[in-house]
Amino acid sequence: MPRILRAPTVEELPALSALCFRSKAVWGYDDAFMEACRRELTIESDDLRTSSIAVAEEDGKIVGVAQIKVIGSEADLLKLFVEPTTLRSGVGRSLFLWAINQATSEGADRLVIEADPDAAPFYRRMGAEDCGPLRPAQYQEGCCQSL
C-alpha cells in the first residue's frame, strides 16, 4: 500500500506525540533532557485548529507527522518526526514537501526550521540554508527554506 499523507484525528494525538518523543530520542539525549522536551513534543487538540498537521501513513500504520504554523508571510516548521524504524525511507522527504506546499498555499514565502544538530543535514539536503543557532548549539540549529 502506498504512503498517504492525511490530517490527524483527535484520537490519534497521543500516539502522534509518542512518535515525536521516540523520534527525538534517536539522537541520544539523556532522560532529563527528553522529559524537558515532552511538552514541546506533544500535539494538543488546539493544534488542530491553530496549525496545519499532516500524518504519514503506510500500510495502515502511522510512520510520521509534520506540523506548521503560518503567521503572515513566514511559516514555522513546528514538528517533523519520523518513526525511528522508517528513517531513511522517504517519509521525512514526503512530510517536508507537504510542509513547503502547505506553507505556500497559506501565503508563506519562508519556512523557518529549528532542528536538532543531527537532523540539520537532512534539511540542508532538502535545500534549506542555515540562519544561525536559535538555542544552545548542542540542541538546536536554525535552517530556513525560501518557498
Side-chain angles (χ1 to χ4, degrees):
M1 182 180 259
R3 177 178 310 135
I4 63 168
L5 298 180
R6 60 170 178 79
T9 65
V10 172
E11 295 79 24
E12 292 174 318
L13 298 183
L16 294 173
S17 299
L19 182 153
C20 294
F21 197 84
R22 283 191 305 279
S23 184
K24 187 164 187 83
V26 163
W27 303 122
Y29 294 117
D30 63 33
D31 292 341
F33 179 78
M34 289 301 298
E35 273 311 309
C37 292
R38 189 170 294 279
R39 181 180 168 123
E40 177 183 330
L41 298 172
T42 299
I43 303 173
E44 302 285 347
S45 59
D46 281 353
D47 293 331
L48 295 174
R49 65 175 179 74
T50 62
S51 63
S52 297
I53 303 171
V55 172
E57 183 180 297
E58 289 180 349
D59 299 322
K61 181 181 177 192
I62 294 173
V63 293
V65 63
Q67 178 186 16
I68 66 163
K69 185 169 189 167
V70 176
I71 299 173
S73 64
E74 192 167 277
D76 287 324
L77 181 64
L78 301 175
K79 292 177 182 61
L80 194 158
F81 291 101
V82 175
E83 185 64 52
T85 58
T86 61
L87 287 172
R88 300 189 180 277
S89 69
V91 174
R93 176 182 293 274
S94 295
L95 288 167
F96 188 72
L97 293 174
W98 168 86
I100 289 172
N101 291 332
Q102 186 65 34
T104 301
S105 75
E106 292 184 34
D109 59 20
R110 182 177 175 182
L111 180 67
V112 177
I113 307 156
E114 287 185 42
D116 285 274
D118 291 313
F122 164 78
Y123 295 111
R124 291 182 193 116
R125 284 192 305 276
M126 297 294 103
E129 298 177 359
D130 291 344
C131 53
L134 302 175
R135 293 195 182 163
Q138 72 270 29
Y139 300 129
Q140 302 285 328
E141 291 187 22
C143 298
C144 298
Q145 174 75 41
S146 295
L147 305 176

